[in-house]
Amino acid sequence: DFDIHQFEGRLERPISKTVFRSAGIIFVIIGLIFGGKLWMLQVKMGEAYELRSQSNNLRHTTIFAERGVVYDRNQIPLAWNDLNPDGEFSLRAYIPLGGFSHVLGYVKYPSKDKFGFYYEERFIGKDGVEEYGEERLAGVNGLKITETNALGEIQSESVLTLPKDGDNLTLSIDARVTARLFEAMEKFARERGFLGGAGVIMDIDTGELLALVSFPEYDNQILTNSSDRDEVSRELNAPGNPFLDRAISGQYIPGSIMKPFIAMGVLGEGVIDPLKEIQSVGQISIQNPYNPELKTIFRDWKVHGWVDLRHALAVSSDEYFYTVGGGYGGQKGIGITNIEKYVRMFGFGKITGIDLYGEKSGVIPSPSWKAEMFDGDDWRLGDTYNSSIGQYGFQVTPIQTVRAVACLLYTSPSPRD
């Protein structure tokens, strides 16, 4: 009648001595294992672990090199280093005047991770001289060892390698001329509603650039130092494409500024006596090859009357250059092949090699260029006429143009006239 579900009628047996002996053996084995491990750590391997412990308290720290200073031709600082009370490296500062951002560029500072360790231990030049002259400006960082205690407090420091500061750079740019040119350009653009512009001033005797400006420009001080993401975002998305350096990367249809160089081709090929006059009536017309009832009109910007080569340049007569470029009314022209040949002689169609990245080479129109761009289309006489006045496929940069004009002035009998 026992209720076995309530454990009634069950016999209790004492734990056997074998169980106690087995448990005791297990605890002894565990104790021996721990004791052996302690002996290994403290006796046999104690010295090695002591050295490792000491090493864990030694931290390698970068000593940042000072970036080189950038000066203008008169030793006016354009980019230099300021004290940084909150960091281990100097802050980069730039001349607070307009006209220098594209020439100087900006920098990106060394970067830390969320634990405070530098994963990028150098300045990185971005754009302008900061990028192009990176190797010379950067210098070489040094290294020191810092010893800390268990609380992270510095106990001692020892310099292993001294930093080597970057080299200074002196540019041909004149800071005062540059600032004045940019100021005048900005005022003119805003008054006339222009979106942008570029200006270059060159010493024709040496080839040195005294000013190289592009409007609008970005604020290199904001891009370098600002931690305000909204402020940086506004700079990056500012209207007018301020990151385009129009002086070396902007490619534009030159128009009549190509006429002096085409005139050099006319003189070089001897297709016309420079004193011979051609009557400008305001236009020329040629027969449409596909429709005998139609003629194609090429207009001048005004009627100029009788003009020779010199006067045609002075009044910028399109009709004269149509004639000597492509030929008309019995007067032979130099043709597109010679137009391309002579403008290339003055450096158009290739980069100047200025010490900045991003320069564009421009475009010189030619039959091969047209065939490539317009799916094999043939070159026509009208294309030569338009090319003779710097139109059609021509694209040049301001830096190319100023070099070409300087070459003309330098080689002329009276450069100052």
Side-chain angles (χ1 to χ4, degrees):
D1 296 328
F2 292 130
D3 186 351
I4 59 175
H5 296 292
Q6 297 294 327
F7 299 101
E8 293 179 357
R10 299 188 65 173
L11 297 177
E12 293 183 359
R13 295 180 181 179
I15 300 174
S16 67
K17 295 180 180 181
T18 303
V19 174
F20 283 107
R21 284 197 294 269
S22 299
I25 293 172
I26 292 172
F27 281 116
V28 169
I29 293 173
I30 293 174
L32 290 175
I33 292 174
F34 275 100
K37 190 66 176 177
L38 288 173
W39 180 82
M40 288 285 292
L41 292 173
Q42 297 187 14
V43 180
K44 185 176 181 180
M45 302 292 294
E47 184 176 356
Y49 281 114
E50 181 182 7
L51 292 175
R52 182 180 296 182
S53 175
Q54 292 176 354
S55 179
N56 285 340
N57 292 329
L58 299 177
R59 181 165 58 94
H60 290 74
T61 304
T62 299
I63 306 175
F64 292 97
E66 289 289 291
R67 197 167 179 83
V69 178
V70 181
Y71 296 96
D72 86 330
R73 65 189 300 110
N74 301 308
Q75 295 303 295
I76 296 175
L78 304 178
W80 62 92
N81 305 304
D82 272 346
L83 293 176
N84 180 8
D86 301 322
E88 300 169 329
F89 52 80
S90 297
L91 298 177
R92 199 64 165 166
Y94 298 100
I95 185 170
L97 297 173
F100 296 93
S101 288
H102 289 103
V103 169
L104 297 176
Y106 58 101
V107 297
K108 180 183 178 183
Y109 290 136
S111 303
K112 288 181 177 181
D113 60 22
K114 62 181 181 180
F115 301 107
F117 295 100
Y118 284 100
Y119 61 86
E120 178 56 74
E121 296 184 341
R122 65 188 183 94
F123 290 75
I124 300 177
K126 298 285 189 178
D127 202 19
V129 173
E130 293 280 26
E131 181 181 16
Y132 191 89
E134 173 68 26
E135 185 174 345
R136 293 180 58 185
L137 289 170
V140 180
N141 291 336
L143 186 67
K144 67 180 178 181
I145 291 181
T146 302
E147 181 182 6
T148 59
N149 59 22
L151 299 177
E153 298 169 339
I154 296 177
Q155 300 298 298
S156 64
E157 292 181 333
S158 177
V159 176
L160 295 181
T161 307
L162 290 171
K164 181 181 181 299
D165 293 341
D167 296 330
N168 297 334
L169 294 180
T170 299
L171 309 182
S172 66
I173 293 296
D174 187 303
R176 290 166 294 187
V177 173
T178 296
R180 184 67 185 91
L181 176 60
F182 184 83
E183 179 185 345
M185 177 178 297
E186 182 179 29
K187 179 181 178 182
F188 183 81
R190 297 196 187 283
E191 288 176 350
R192 302 299 178 90
F194 292 128
L195 296 179
V200 187
I201 298 178
M202 175 183 284
D203 183 332
I204 67 170
D205 294 318
T206 65
E208 293 177 306
L209 295 181
L210 304 182
L212 184 75
V213 302
S214 178
F215 170 81
E217 64 177 1
Y218 57 84
D219 190 322
N220 51 1
Q221 198 68 72
I222 288 178
L223 294 179
T224 297
N225 287 335
S226 180
S227 58
D228 187 334
R229 291 187 177 182
D230 291 337
E231 186 177 35
V232 173
S233 178
R234 284 193 297 271
E235 200 68 26
L236 295 174
N237 297 296
N241 198 2
F243 287 88
L244 172 63
D245 187 346
R246 289 168 166 83
I248 67 171
S249 302
Q251 301 179 100
Y252 307 100
I253 299 173
S256 293
I257 65 172
M258 299 304 294
K259 289 175 181 174
F261 310 105
I262 294 170
M264 295 296 288
V266 171
L267 294 174
E269 296 301 311
V271 296
I272 189 173
D273 184 330
L275 298 179
K276 177 183 176 180
E277 293 183 329
I278 293 176
Q279 186 178 21
S280 167
V281 297
Q283 67 180 40
I284 64 172
S285 62
I286 59 173
Q287 183 63 54
N288 189 308
Y290 306 103
N291 188 337
E293 297 181 358
L294 294 178
K295 290 188 176 182
T296 302
I297 306 298
F298 294 88
R299 302 186 184 280
D300 205 334
W301 68 277
K302 65 173 291 186
V303 176
H304 298 289
W306 292 97
V307 290
D308 59 13
L309 178 58
R310 181 179 180 184
H311 289 92
L313 284 172
V315 299
S316 191
S317 171
D318 292 342
E319 188 174 345
Y320 183 95
F321 281 92
Y322 292 148
T323 303
V324 297
Y328 182 73
Q331 172 60 54
K332 183 181 178 181
I334 60 174
I336 187 58
T337 300
N338 282 318
I339 289 175
E340 180 184 10
K341 169 186 170 183
Y342 279 92
V343 297
R344 287 191 184 277
M345 283 183 180
F346 286 90
F348 293 106
K350 60 183 178 181
I351 63 173
T352 66
I354 188 174
D355 294 339
L356 294 171
Y357 291 123
E359 185 183 5
K360 301 298 183 182
S361 60
V363 176
I364 305 299
S366 67
S368 60
W369 166 84
K370 183 180 180 181
E372 180 181 353
M373 295 299 295
F374 296 97
D375 195 24
D377 197 8
D378 293 332
W379 187 268
R380 296 177 176 82
L381 178 59
D383 301 331
T384 302
Y385 285 157
N386 287 323
S387 298
S388 299
I389 61 170
Q391 301 286 343
Y392 197 48
F394 266 115
Q395 287 190 329
V396 303
T397 63
I399 186 68
Q400 286 176 338
T401 306
V402 76
R403 181 181 65 172
V405 172
C407 181
L408 274 180
L409 294 174
Y410 186 76
T411 56
S412 64
S414 301
R416 304 303 177 186
D417 292 340

